[in-house]
Amino acid sequence: MSTVTVTGIIDGDSIRVDNCMNVRVANVNVPSSGPTAKLAIQYIVRYWLGEKVVLKNDPNQGDKVVHGDEHVKQVIRVRDGVSLGVELLQYGQKLLF
């Protein structure tokens, strides 16, 4: 499985990897604006920006694309196996499919 690097933050539940692909974190929805969105963005900047991650298709969504160019993926940090989607649940809500 290939790894990519988190190179940017789009919003509280979307990131950019390798400066070329937008990724919507699977199974979580963080508000687009307001204090919760700001906290989620700060969390991603502090703990995920620059990190190597593995992107996996979500079993419930396949290789879905939303908002025109955001690939819905599970995002797993290489160094410790932590899921960004699980971590973001403190700032948003779980999406049920």
Side-chain angles (χ1 to χ4, degrees):
M1 208 173 293
S2 62
T3 63
V4 293
T5 302
V6 177
T7 54
I9 292 89
I10 298 167
D11 60 25
D13 53 23
S14 299
I15 60 173
R16 188 158 180 83
V17 297
D18 286 353
N19 290 316
C20 65
M21 180 179 167
N22 295 335
V23 176
R24 169 73 163 73
V25 180
N27 299 320
V28 65
N29 185 41
V30 175
S32 299
S33 60
T36 303
K38 185 176 179 178
L39 288 171
I41 291 168
Q42 290 172 344
Y43 170 79
I44 297 170
V45 167
R46 183 171 181 180
Y47 297 106
W48 289 80
L49 192 61
E51 290 284 340
K52 297 281 187 196
V53 298
V54 174
L55 304 177
K56 296 182 178 181
N57 284 345
D58 181 72
N60 297 316
Q61 300 181 63
D63 195 21
K64 186 176 180 180
V65 177
V66 296
H67 307 300
D69 69 344
E70 290 183 5
H71 298 263
V72 178
K73 302 285 185 187
Q74 294 178 356
V75 181
I76 310 298
R77 193 166 44 206
V78 171
R79 69 178 166 89
D80 58 10
V82 170
S83 166
L84 179 55
V86 171
E87 293 295 298
L88 287 177
L89 286 176
Q90 63 187 319
Y91 304 107
Q93 61 185 356
K94 183 169 180 54
L95 296 177
L96 302 174
F97 294 92

